[in-house]
Amino acid sequence: MTPSHTDGSLRVATLGGPATFAGQATSAALDKFKDLGDVVYYPTMTQVWDAIVARIEDIGVLGAETSSTGLTEIAERLIADDSCSVLGEVVVPYRCMLLGKPGASIEQIRLVVGHGSLRLCKRSLNTLLPNAELRIHPENSMAAALDVMNSDGSIAVVGTLHSKQDLGLELLAEDVDDGCEGVWWLLSSELCLSNRPDRVVVAVDSDNLDILQQLLTRMASFDVGVRSIMTKALGSRFRYAHLVVFAGSPLPVPADVLLWNLPGCHLVGAYSSIDDHVPTFDQSLRRSAGEL
């Protein structure tokens, strides 16, 4: 990977602003990875993705998985589109707060808005506000919080401590996500592989289940098991694709070698969960490396 800054740092794109859940995760990524530099915020996930693909930004930080709901729509996108690869991850507690307009009370709330984090809070919100509507905001949690500030007090938002402090929102309830944690991926338009990865992400676009089983068996032989898997219908009858996230011991062989003779499989990422640097781009590695 070629850094876009003269000081060697990488420009980062993420969602909304510092007070969103994506901003919260990006702050954690900046603490972990020494290569990351300036952060640019985009209104939607699609705009973040497009900025990475167009190489306007070097890295995108987007939510990939939660301990409550599993893999997200970003994983689904990686199944269908090989424009991006995964370079690393951070694991961040959500610590969702239910926030209202200053002076509002929980008895007033008739609508709760939020972004992806709203899905994590359904159980708690249905208990706290059994008659309230839950609605996903089309942009991000900060945009949803601004809608709350402009409301009559009957709308609440699932937000962060940062958004509460920035806007002066009223705290109505804390930790409404039941202790959920999120995995946030560092995405790049280049396939960059760590030397000793303990996390491997593979897309399988073959509907031959024998291929998937061979992949699982091969990874297990190196003490690397399935952390999570997503299956997506391909639009024709009984045809499916998969995204598999493997986790385990550091691999003693190059990750792309593990996919040899497995048609329909391609490598989406192979990285170390403990490294504090983003892997660099080796000119000998091409996106087709995992399809040999």
Side-chain angles (χ1 to χ4, degrees), residues 50-279:
D50 290 345
I52 306 164
V53 172
R55 303 197 178 196
I56 297 169
E57 317 295 353
D58 299 311
I59 300 290
V61 177
L62 291 173
E65 186 175 356
T66 78
S67 57
S68 295
T69 59
L71 291 167
T72 70
E73 56 265 41
I74 291 303
E76 186 172 341
R77 185 176 291 223
L78 285 165
I79 295 175
D81 185 349
D82 67 355
S83 301
C84 286
S85 300
V86 184
L87 302 188
E89 69 180 32
V90 288
V91 180
V92 183
Y94 273 87
R95 299 192 176 99
C96 295
M97 294 182 169
L98 182 66
L99 305 170
K101 187 173 181 175
S105 67
I106 198 165
E107 290 76 21
Q108 293 175 255
I109 304 304
R110 297 293 176 266
L111 169 66
V112 181
V113 293
H115 199 234
S117 53
L118 186 62
R119 300 186 184 98
L120 313 177
C121 306
K122 283 185 176 180
R123 192 200 65 80
S124 292
L125 294 176
N126 286 335
T127 300
L128 287 168
L129 298 163
N131 298 315
E133 177 189 355
L134 308 183
R135 186 185 301 168
I136 298 289
H137 196 279
E139 293 186 356
N140 56 74
S141 60
M142 195 61 178
L146 291 172
D147 288 350
V148 169
M149 289 296 291
N150 294 325
S151 75
D152 62 0
S154 64
I155 306 177
V157 63
V158 171
T160 66
L161 175 62
H162 199 331
S163 62
K164 173 188 179 297
Q165 293 170 338
D166 275 8
L167 296 178
L169 291 163
E170 189 80 23
L171 177 62
L172 303 176
E174 293 184 90
D175 298 324
V176 291
D177 57 41
D178 296 322
C180 182
E181 292 185 316
V183 175
W184 297 75
W185 276 344
L186 275 64
L187 301 172
S188 167
S189 62
E190 297 176 353
L191 179 61
C192 306
L193 308 180
S194 295
N195 292 327
R196 294 271 289 169
D198 59 6
R199 301 289 184 271
V200 180
V201 185
V202 179
V204 184
D205 60 14
S206 171
D207 59 354
N208 184 344
L209 291 180
D210 286 343
I211 296 295
L212 179 59
Q213 186 56 56
Q214 288 178 51
L215 172 65
L216 301 181
T217 300
R218 192 175 295 181
M219 297 300 286
S221 71
F222 289 98
D223 198 23
V224 178
V226 176
R227 183 177 80 183
S228 47
I229 185 168
M230 173 179 278
T231 300
K232 176 180 171 58
L234 294 177
S236 58
R237 191 177 184 190
F238 305 129
R239 292 202 66 240
Y240 306 95
H242 314 274
L243 190 81
V244 190
V245 183
F246 294 96
S249 301
L251 286 173
V253 298
D256 55 307
V257 171
L258 296 177
L259 304 189
W260 285 356
N261 300 318
L262 291 180
C265 297
H266 72 266
L267 200 60
V268 177
Y271 55 92
S272 169
S273 63
I274 60 173
D275 282 356
D276 61 1
H277 288 279
V278 175

